[in-house]
Amino acid sequence: MESMEKKQKMTAAGIHILLILVSITMLVPFVWMALTAFKTITESTSVDPFVIFPSSWKVENFTTVINNMNFPVLYVNTLLLILGRVVCAVLTATMAGYAFGRLNFPGKNLMFSLVMFQMMVPGQIFIIPQYLMVSKLGVLDTIFALIFPGMVTAFGTFLLRQTYMGLPKDLEEAARLDGCNIGQTFLFIMAPLTRSGMVSLGIFTAVFAYKDLMWPLICNRNVMPLSAALAKMQGQYSNNYPQLMAASLLACIPMIVLYLIFQKQFIEGIATSGGKL
Amino acid sequence: MANESKSVTKKKWTSQEKNECIWGWAFILPTMIGLIILNIWPIFDTIIQSFFKTGDFGKGNIFIGLQNYKTILGDPEIWQALLNTFKYAIVEVPFSIAIALVLAVLLNRKMVGRAAYRTIFFLPMVAAPAAIAMVWRWLYNSEFGLLNHILGTKTNWISNPSIAVFAVAIIGIWSIVGYNMVLFLAGLQDIPRDYYEASSIDGANGINQFFNITIPLLSPTIFFVAITRVIGGLQVFDLIFMVMDKNNPALYKTQSLVYLFYQESFVNNNKGMGSAIVVFLLIIIMIITVLQMQMQKHVYYN
């Protein structure tokens, strides 16, 4: 019996060693980003000796990129992009999800098949016409242009429809007997019950708006979010890695901090909503 | 409800049905208008545009029939890009799935640090791809990169045409493995604990259980993840765009179809050609998805 316990302990230790090695692999790029951001160019390109830690923790790289790239504006643009897409997407998807999940009306199946159809095609197929629309409206290079393609969401509609379908059947009947019309039933009884679905969709939308690169690159040259600004910066300072890493770190930190605070909601929001597709 | 409404279609509507119809349409209207303008119409518009040539300076469209498609099918650059895209997906998808599966199984128990591991593995999901690509480019740097320093090599990870696409795929694996793992962890919750207990009484070890219980019972999740990852992998753009410089000698053997779509449409301003490339991609994704669905039927609906 004792040897079996010992064997179990050895296995557990082995598993931990493996998981720690994987953790290191996942963390090294972030750590290296941070270490490089504090170095001088000379330190970062020194080979003999290879410099791991900066000789002193210099913040010049950060102050330089904050000023040169105007980071406060980039943060505001990214925040507006995220807020715009999250508010529009959650609002429209909650309403449509309720109608598709709980109401019966002619044309419902046809409309829902359009929603499903949208989810099955690769997203790049929408981009040229979307760009031409934004361009014809004369709103290229605005916050509206950034938000535009994410104003409605087929995926979110599907996700919230699933959430509404999971609610008990007699809720509406009870509300109707109490004299609520359909709008009141939705607003006061049904929508509040799907709060977790809305939060999931909100986080999912926020993270993917923040990560979106191609669309901001295409339609915005001056009013840029963080992702596009990093891409532009790489073209300009191609070999000043300490500054590139300082900018990357500044771009990543707000989302990482939010993630560390709301880990559970983030992981559930992103992964489990992805898993329900 | 559904049966009821079918049986009364000939009759006059009750006020409840009328109400549901009005409210239902009012609720879906914003989404449907948005979807039709932003997504449904653009699908047809892209297909139509693929039959046109964009005039110089973006002016005027000239109908050229199937010429763009003929150009694509005869262009070695496109076939190379398709091959690059496949190479990327063939490395990224199986490895990110296999590693994620092992990690999920190891974490699917009560253990110290479970939440911390999960948080760390998932971390790349919330980082901007532009930042991820930049730091990996720096790690891969042939002269000053950390990777060559640790390995004691002088490898040109991202400028050697024969390995660059795999180096980019490694970044892809690193980025997505935590996401796949969380999906698998959710799937593992549905496998009853007793299966494992019963098999360990029968003397099965962890590895037997992995192949005889976990893999078969998790196969619906594995297929779901595989299909979505293949579709995602075939659309790779951000990493290649950020990691590969325009004058990188390995670019030709690394650029993906979506990268070429971006270049044609928005750098060379030939939106007709760009449209044809994206339709070509749509067809390839559809074929592969159908093939995967067929495979899925064979494997676990028995």
Side-chain angles (χ1 to χ4, degrees), chain A residues 15-16 18-20 22-23 25-30 32-33 36 44-45 47 50 92 95-96 98-100 103-107 111 114-115 117-118 121-133 148-149 152 154 157 176 181-183 186 207-208 210-211 213-214 217-218 227 230-231 234 241 244-245 248 252 255-256 259-260 263 266-267 270-271 274-275 277, chain B residues 1-2 13 16 19-21 23-28 30-32 34-43 45-46 49 103 106-107 109 111-112 115 117-131 134-139 141 143-146 149 174 177 179 182-183 186 224 235 237-238 241-242 258 261-262 265-266 271 274-275 278-279 281-282 285:
Chain A
I15 288 172
H16 273 290
L18 185 71
L19 291 173
I20 288 167
V22 178
S23 303
T25 315
M26 301 311 284
L27 289 175
V28 158
F30 291 106
W32 197 239
M33 187 190 281
T36 307
S44 74
T45 54
V47 181
F50 194 85
T92 55
M95 286 165 54
Y98 175 68
F100 283 127
L103 301 178
N104 267 314
F105 51 92
M111 291 299 118
L114 285 184
V115 173
F117 181 53
Q118 192 274 356
V121 292
Q124 293 81 13
I125 206 163
F126 315 129
I127 288 181
I128 292 176
Q130 286 174 345
Y131 167 83
L132 294 174
M133 282 181 230
F148 184 66
V152 295
T157 302
R176 201 164 61 91
N181 67 28
I182 292 174
F186 165 71
V207 171
F208 284 92
Y210 163 79
K211 291 173 71 141
L213 179 65
M214 194 196 275
L217 278 177
I218 290 167
S227 59
L230 284 180
Q234 183 175 253
Y241 273 99
L244 289 174
M245 292 300 102
S248 298
C252 286
M255 202 47 111
I256 290 179
Y259 166 64
L260 294 178
Q263 300 173 36
F266 262 74
I267 294 178
I270 300 171
L277 262 174
Chain B
M1 277 300 236
W13 281 15
Q16 171 67 14
N19 258 335
E20 285 202 22
C21 176
W23 282 102
W25 273 96
F27 279 163
I28 66 165
T31 296
M32 292 324 295
L35 277 185
I36 287 166
I37 294 175
L38 288 166
N39 303 121
I40 305 297
W41 164 242
I43 295 173
D45 194 25
T46 297
Q49 285 201 52
L103 293 175
L106 293 180
L107 282 185
R109 69 191 77 204
M111 65 187 291
V112 185
Y117 289 128
R118 197 178 67 151
T119 305
I120 293 171
F121 300 162
F122 197 76
L123 191 59
M125 258 332 265
V126 299
M134 269 201 252
V135 71
W136 273 92
R137 208 178 136 147
W138 179 223
L139 291 166
N141 188 293
E143 285 174 89
F144 317 116
L146 182 65
H149 175 71
W174 178 86
V177 82
Y179 176 76
V182 171
L183 294 180
F224 167 78
Q235 296 177 61
F237 168 76
D238 297 1
F241 179 80
M242 289 298 295
V258 175
F261 155 75
Y262 174 84
S265 312
F266 298 103
K271 299 205 165 46
S275 301
V278 84
V279 172
L281 175 72
L282 171 74
I285 288 181

Side-chain angles (χ1 to χ4, degrees), chain B residues 177 197 212:
Chain B
V177 82
E197 278 156 25
N212 296 329

Side-chain angles (χ1 to χ4, degrees), chain A residues 155 158-159 162-163 196-197 200 268 271-277, chain B residues 183 224:
Chain A
F155 161 72
F158 177 80
L159 181 73
Q162 300 298 93
T163 316
S196 70
S200 286
E268 275 170 15
T272 33
S273 42
K276 275 186 196 133
L277 262 174
Chain B
L183 294 180
F224 167 78

